[in-house]
Amino acid sequence: MLNRVMISELAFPALLVGGALAFEQLMAPARVVFGQISDRFPLFGRHRTPYIWLGTAGFCGLSTLSIPVVFSTAAALTSGERTAITAWTLALCGLFALYGLAISSASTPYLALVIDRTTEEERPRAVGVIWCMLTVGIIVGAIAISITLRSLDGISDPAILQTALQGFMNRAALIIGAIVLLATVGSEPSRQPKANSADDVVTLRQSVALIRSSRQILIFFAFLLCFTLGLFLQDPILESYGAEVFGLPISKSALLNAYWGMGTLIGLLIAGFWFTPRFGKLSSARIGCWMILSSLLLLVAAGFSQNSSTLMVVMLLFGLSAGIGTNSALTLMLDLTLPQLAGTFVGVWGLAQAMSRALGKVLGGGLLDLGRSFTDPAQPLQAFGFVFVLEAAMVLLGIVILRHL
C-alpha cells in the first residue's frame, strides 16, 4: 500500500521507492547472526521465543514511524532542496534498514522453532500451515486497508493521506503485536542453557563455507535466488500497475494483494496436503515455477483489456502458482537443513531469499523508470510489461537451475 502511495500519489521516483524498501532485505546477513545467537544464547531458559518477542516489538514500533518519514521525504522532494532531499532519503532508507533488522531478529528464531518442534515427516504440513496463516494475514490486511482507506479514493492531498494512514498504522501495530504474543506464549518448552564450546560455534565465514561445501546446497542457493527474484520483481510496482493501467483507486488496488493472498492460500493448502506429497518436492517446484511464469505473461495480457475483473482473476492464478512453488521450495530448504544447526541454516536460507527480494525491489523500481524512459508515457502498459517479461525470464532461469538439483 505504501509503495503505491509513494509512486502514484506522492510522485516518488520508482527507483527511490524500490531502493528504500530494499533496505529491509539488505539487512539479510543479520539473519545468520540472529540464528547463531538463538542457537547459542538462551534467554530465560528459551532459545527462540524471547527473540521473537523482542523483534516484534521493534518492527511494530518502526512501522508507526514510517508514515511521518515517508511524508517528510515527499515534502523534501517537492521543495527541491538538495540538503533536505538527501537527509530525508537517508532517513527513509535507515528506517527500512532498522525494520529489516527487527524482522530478521523475529523471523529467524521463529523458523528455527518450527524445525525444533517438528520431524522431517511433519515439516511439509507444518510449512503449509505456517504459510497459510501468513497468507491469511495478507488477505485480512489487504481487506482491512481497502475498507479503512475507502474514504481516500481520489484524494491526493498529503495532509489528508498522512492523517488517515497514521491512524491505520498505529492500530495495525498494536493488533499485530498482541497476536504474536498470544500465539507464541507457551510454544517453546524451557531448556537448560547449554555450555557453548568452541566446537559449537559456527561463524559467518563458516556459514559461507557451509554453502560452498555441498554442490546440492550451492545449486539450491542459486535456485532460491532466481525463484524469489522472479516472484517478487513486481512487488514494488504491482499496485501502481493497477492504478496507472486499470485506473484503480487506493482501496481497490489494495485488493490485488487480497486476491493474490487467496490464491496463495489455496496453493499452499493443495501443495502441503496433496500436491507435494503426491508428486514429490522437485516435480512440484518445477510445476510451480512454470505456473508462475505463465501467470506473469497473463498479467501483461490482462493490461491490454484494462478490465479490472480480469486483473483480479490473474492475481488469483498468480497466487495459486506462488503457493505451490513456495511450499515445495521451502520443503526442499528444510530438507537441506541440519537440525543441530537449525538457526544458522535458516539464517543462511533467509539470506538468499532476502537478498534476492532486495534486488527485486531495486530492479523492479529501476526497470520501471527505465521502461518509462523509452516508452510512450500515454501507454503505461509498455513500461510495466517490460518489467513483467523480464521477471518471467528470471523464473525460466530458475527452472533451468533446478534441473541440476
Side-chain angles (χ1 to χ4, degrees):
M1 176 264 293
L2 274 181
N3 50 356
R4 180 247 161 89
V5 170
M6 285 189 282
I7 293 173
S8 299
E9 271 70 35
L10 300 180
F12 277 46
L15 179 60
L16 172 59
V17 174
L21 294 175
F23 271 85
E24 175 191 341
Q25 275 77 39
L26 289 175
M27 297 298 104
R31 292 174 182 265
V32 179
V33 176
F34 287 123
Q36 292 172 351
I37 291 173
S38 70
D39 280 341
R40 296 169 54 196
F41 302 112
L43 293 177
F44 309 108
R46 291 174 173 80
H47 286 265
R48 313 300 185 194
T49 49
Y51 294 103
I52 295 172
W53 298 334
L54 289 172
T56 300
F59 70 70
C60 284
L62 288 165
S63 66
T64 63
L65 294 176
S66 64
I67 302 301
V69 173
V70 164
F71 281 87
S72 295
T73 305
L77 289 170
T78 302
S79 71
E81 186 179 343
R82 291 187 178 181
T83 302
I85 292 173
T86 301
W88 282 110
T89 298
L90 291 175
L92 184 67
C93 294
L95 183 139
F96 282 109
L98 291 174
Y99 184 82
L101 287 174
I103 290 289
S104 296
S105 68
S107 60
T108 304
Y110 172 72
L111 288 177
L113 179 62
V114 173
I115 296 174
D116 292 342
R117 300 301 303 274
T118 60
T119 65
E120 182 177 346
E121 292 75 21
E122 295 170 333
R123 282 172 197 156
R125 288 184 174 86
V127 168
V129 171
I130 289 166
W131 280 84
C132 282
M133 296 309 297
L134 176 64
T135 306
V136 167
I138 293 174
I139 296 170
V140 172
I143 294 173
I145 291 172
S146 179
I147 294 173
T148 304
L149 303 183
R150 188 173 297 166
S151 61
L152 295 181
D153 288 353
I155 294 176
S156 58
D157 185 344
I160 298 175
L161 289 172
Q162 182 174 359
T163 300
L165 292 175
Q166 186 68 68
F168 174 81
M169 197 67 75
N170 291 344
R171 293 189 294 272
L174 289 174
I175 293 171
I176 291 170
I179 290 173
V180 170
L181 183 62
L182 291 173
T184 53
V185 168
S187 62
E188 180 185 14
S190 178
R191 289 180 285 181
Q192 291 296 320
K194 296 182 293 184
N196 297 295
S197 66
D199 293 335
D200 294 327
V201 178
V202 180
T203 65
L204 182 59
R205 180 177 296 179
Q206 288 172 322
S207 298
V208 175
L210 197 62
I211 298 173
R212 300 174 60 186
S213 65
S214 168
R215 180 176 178 271
Q216 291 292 90
I217 293 177
L218 191 59
I219 290 172
F220 182 75
F221 190 90
F223 162 73
L224 193 61
L225 285 171
C226 292
F227 174 81
T228 309
L229 187 59
L231 194 58
F232 291 104
L233 197 65
Q234 46 73 34
D235 191 36
I237 65 171
L238 180 62
E239 290 190 45
S240 292
Y241 179 57
E244 297 180 28
V245 176
F246 295 84
L248 299 179
I250 293 176
S251 64
K252 296 298 183 182
S253 66
L255 288 177
L256 293 175
N257 289 321
Y259 281 93
W260 184 88
M262 285 187 284
T264 302
L265 180 59
I266 296 170
L268 288 170
L269 287 170
I270 292 173
F273 292 96
W274 176 70
F275 198 89
T276 301
R278 180 178 178 85
F279 296 102
K281 304 175 185 72
L282 278 173
S283 295
S284 298
R286 293 190 189 100
I287 294 171
C289 287
W290 280 113
M291 291 174 66
I292 291 168
L293 189 153
S294 300
S295 298
L296 288 167
L297 297 180
L298 286 173
L299 198 58
V300 178
F304 289 100
S305 70
Q306 296 185 354
N307 186 305
S308 61
S309 297
T310 302
L311 177 62
M312 299 302 178
V313 171
V314 172
M315 290 306 301
L316 191 68
L317 293 174
F318 188 17
L320 177 68
S321 307
I324 293 174
T326 297
N327 177 274
S328 53
L330 285 174
T331 305
L332 284 171
M333 178 193 79
L334 294 178
D335 282 353
L336 292 170
T337 298
L338 294 176
Q340 62 268 33
L341 294 173
T344 301
F345 261 92
V346 169
V348 170
W349 299 135
L351 172 64
Q353 186 182 51
M355 293 304 288
S356 55
R357 286 195 69 175
L359 184 59
K361 288 182 178 180
V362 174
L363 287 177
L367 288 172
L368 179 60
D369 285 341
L370 177 62
R372 284 172 167 170
S373 70
F374 62 80
T375 59
D376 184 358
Q379 299 292 330
L381 175 60
Q382 297 174 1
F384 284 98
F386 171 69
V387 179
F388 296 148
V389 169
L390 290 179
E391 187 174 6
M394 186 57 62
V395 178
L396 183 61
L397 178 59
I399 294 171
V400 173
I401 294 173
L402 194 59
R403 290 179 178 175
H404 299 283
L405 191 62

